[in-house]
Amino acid sequence: MNNNELETLIRSIVREKLEPARRENATAALFDDVERAITAAHTAFLAYQQCPLKTRNAVIAAIRHELVPHLQVLAERGAQETGMGRVEDKLLKNRVALEKTPGVEDLVTEAITGDEGMVLFEYSPFGVIGSVAPSTNPTETIINNCISMLAAGNTIFFSPHPGAKNVSLWLIEQIEAIVFTACGIHNLVTCLREPSFESTQHMMKHPLIALLAITGGPGIVNMALKSGKKTIGAGAGNPPSLVDETAVLDKAAQDIVSGASFDYNLPCTAEKSLIVVESVADALLAEMQKCGALIVSGDGNIDKLRNVAIIDGHANKALVGKSPLALLQAAGLPAPDKAPRLLLVEVGADDLLVSVEQLMPILPVVRVPDFDSGLRLALKVEGGLHHTATMHSQNVSRLNKAARLLQTSIFVKNGPSYAGIGVGAEGFATFTIATPTGEGTTSARTFARHRRCVLSNAFSIR
Ligand code: NAD
């Protein structure tokens, strides 16, 4: 049987069994207390650990196939429940997570052989992973983490954001039914019916949790790092976009407007400031206006926008992920006839709009005299978060210099920021970019223990 025939067989078995299993298993995966949920996930792990790799492949294939009809609903419900982001972009993010998150094939075995025998390096599961998902990518993160973590042989206790509870629980129930049908084991994914900050804190200390995977802001990532458990921390970013005088300006403008307006700037990877060399600044801004950006000018107007966007030095949560029109309205500014895709404001390098991660489609623009001063500012704005930066230039030496100095987990050259998470670009999809802990763009192998298996004096057959 070839791979296509195998996939068709798996799909037909899944279809045949799925509906009855969904009915039987309507409440599995969801629990009332942390203890029961984690114990159930651990029992599931002990059973899953005994399964061959073809079972894991079947689980991943079933998730990929069976969630497709739900993608639109997930995007709509995610935007509606959180009150953040754009449905079309959420649909794309969920689709990319489903299609482009690597499965079991990511666990590549390495071997060393010689006169004294053989050594294998293999990726094996940790056990139960405590996965914390953000409100900004609620279902995208769950899909992405599910595929990566289950492919690596783990089971999962999810802590969704309470603000995205309903859509997250609904998705987890769907995945439970799909996965159970594919492998016959309940509770590979678990969650609480009422997820809360307290339950997340309890989970972080639970002895049966082998690994924490935390996607969120600095508060929750730092809390996990203090827990004493191994933590994969995917934290906040503040990605600068640097444009020098050699850039192809119409392409740079299109890329920056597309990236910074994507899902109303909710992705942690999205361009959060634009640093442009003075000699091309006017031309770049003119091109960006052609792409749907609106320049908000005049000190009074910029002050009004800043005052509603940032409160006490932090992004105003009530406006995170809102549309440009909603932001103009909140600031009491007039709305143009055509809805803008992005708001541009020219500010100084020390402006709060530059230094605070807003997660709103307001892009502060700072002019610099030359590339070197732009790079210095980009380093300051990124703030050592090791997250994401983008740059538009035709000068390879400068691109190389920026890549080396910025040390970001994702560095996109001459493209929109979302190219760095696999949207419209080469490379796998990820929604957990481990920045403070250094794993970078995560996939199945990130959620696996790297083990060394030695055989003395045999199996070198060269
Ligand atoms: P958040 O920090 O408010 O919440 C993230 C998660 O942590 C949620 O599940 C929430 O319930 C939980 N949490 C927060 N405070 C808690 C507490 N005191 N006790 C227990 N649990 C707590 O973040 P958010 O607003 O949902 O997401 C946006 C942030 O996440 C941004 O800073 C963004 O940059 C970051 N982010 C990072 C990545 C990445 O891959 N690096 C991806 C997406 C989002």
Side-chain angles (χ1 to χ4, degrees):
M1 190 181 281
N2 65 30
N3 280 350
N4 285 345
E5 286 165 343
L6 181 63
E7 180 135 329
T8 310
L9 179 66
I10 291 167
R11 286 177 181 183
S12 68
I13 294 170
V14 166
R15 250 194 312 276
E16 203 176 285
K17 291 192 183 170
L18 192 61
E19 279 317 313
R22 274 203 179 118
R23 281 196 295 277
E24 247 173 53
N25 186 32
T27 55
L30 302 187
F31 292 82
D32 290 323
D33 71 89
V34 178
E35 195 60 44
R36 283 190 188 187
I38 294 178
T39 305
H42 187 252
T43 305
F45 170 68
L46 296 177
Y48 194 43
Q49 201 182 17
Q50 303 306 315
C51 296
L53 290 178
K54 73 177 176 198
T55 303
R56 288 196 218 167
N57 277 321
V59 162
I60 304 306
I63 294 173
R64 284 201 212 286
H65 182 256
E66 294 300 324
L67 283 183
V68 172
H70 301 310
L71 290 176
Q72 180 70 29
V73 172
L74 287 175
E76 285 167 9
R77 290 182 64 168
Q80 191 190 26
E81 185 177 356
T82 61
M84 300 190 288
R86 261 177 106 223
V87 173
E88 301 92 294
D89 297 336
K90 288 202 179 296
L91 177 62
L92 183 55
K93 291 199 300 181
N94 279 285
R95 174 163 294 130
V96 163
L98 192 61
E99 290 175 356
K100 290 185 71 179
T101 302
V104 178
E105 72 283 358
D106 194 52
L107 309 171
V108 179
T109 298
E110 292 167 83
I112 297 171
T113 62
D115 294 342
E116 286 165 310
M118 179 180 71
V119 180
L120 281 182
F121 292 94
E122 291 224 292
Y123 291 102
S124 75
F126 271 98
V128 186
I129 299 180
S131 166
V132 176
S135 57
T136 48
N137 303 323
T139 54
E140 302 87 320
T141 306
I142 291 174
I143 293 172
N144 174 246
N145 280 189
C146 255
I147 294 177
S148 298
M149 293 171 185
L150 295 178
N154 305 287
T155 61
I156 312 163
F157 173 86
F158 273 113
S159 284
H161 195 289
K165 179 186 93 171
N166 297 330
V167 69
S168 303
L169 263 57
W170 185 81
L171 172 60
I172 289 166
E173 274 193 291
Q174 301 305 310
I175 294 174
E176 157 69 19
I178 293 166
V179 164
F180 173 70
T181 307
C183 73
I185 306 171
H186 278 306
N187 299 317
L188 294 190
V189 290
T190 61
C191 186
L192 293 189
R193 284 192 183 85
E194 289 299 334
S196 64
F197 291 160
E198 292 69 33
S199 61
T200 301
Q201 289 165 15
H202 184 171
M203 174 274 283
M204 284 185 183
K205 297 192 191 107
H206 198 285
L208 289 178
I209 293 289
L211 171 69
L212 296 172
I214 312 293
T215 312
I220 185 73
V221 172
N222 288 333
M223 189 189 293
L225 287 171
K226 286 184 197 140
S227 71
K229 288 196 189 287
K230 176 171 168 67
T231 298
I232 293 172
N238 195 32
S241 183
L242 178 57
V243 181
D244 79 5
E245 71 281 12
T246 70
V248 178
L249 294 182
D250 55 348
K251 165 84 166 63
Q254 181 66 63
D255 289 343
I256 297 166
V257 173
S258 300
S261 63
F262 188 52
D263 207 16
Y264 295 150
N265 202 270
L266 280 179
C268 52
T269 47
E271 293 84 348
K272 300 275 184 286
S273 59
L274 168 57
I275 300 167
V276 55
V277 170
E278 170 71 49
S279 60
V280 292
D282 287 339
L284 180 71
L285 294 182
E287 290 294 336
M288 290 176 81
Q289 286 173 279
K290 287 187 208 162
C291 301
L294 175 77
I295 297 180
V296 175
S297 56
D299 286 350
N301 291 340
I302 295 174
D303 286 349
K304 282 183 189 168
L305 205 52
R306 188 191 302 102
N307 289 344
V308 291
I310 299 173
I311 293 179
D312 295 334
H314 299 282
N316 175 2
K317 290 233 180 239
L319 294 184
V320 165
K322 297 294 186 204
S323 70
L325 275 184
L327 295 170
L328 289 172
Q329 197 180 16
L333 296 173
D337 294 339
K338 191 166 176 238
R341 288 177 69 190
L342 181 68
L343 305 179
L344 301 175
V345 286
E346 279 209 52
V347 292
D350 294 326
D351 199 287
L352 277 180
L353 289 166
V354 177
S355 54
V356 173
E357 185 199 35
Q358 303 161 40
L359 303 158
M360 296 172 205
I362 302 174
L363 192 67
V365 182
V366 182
R367 294 177 191 239
V368 288
D370 52 34
F371 164 72
D372 282 317
S373 45
L375 181 54
R376 275 196 298 278
L377 179 57
L379 271 163
K380 186 175 163 209
V381 168
E382 209 284 322
L385 295 170
H386 302 292
H387 202 297
T388 299
T390 67
M391 180 167 161
H392 297 267
S393 171
Q394 294 300 304
N395 184 318
V396 173
S397 306
R398 287 179 179 178
L399 289 165
N400 188 50
K401 185 175 178 183
R404 290 181 70 90
L405 286 180
L406 282 161
Q407 290 189 297
T408 46
S409 303
I410 296 176
F411 184 52
V412 178
K413 297 169 283 295
N414 298 324
S417 54
Y418 50 68
I421 54 169
V423 178
E426 293 301 323
F428 61 83
T430 182
F431 285 88
T432 293
I433 301 138
T435 41
T437 52
E439 293 82 0
T441 50
T442 58
S443 60
R445 71 181 72 172
T446 320
F447 302 105
R449 211 180 267 285
H450 202 212
R451 293 176 57 196
R452 179 171 174 144
C453 205
V454 180
L455 180 67
S456 272
N457 299 316
F459 281 103
S460 175
I461 55 171
R462 280 180 287 176

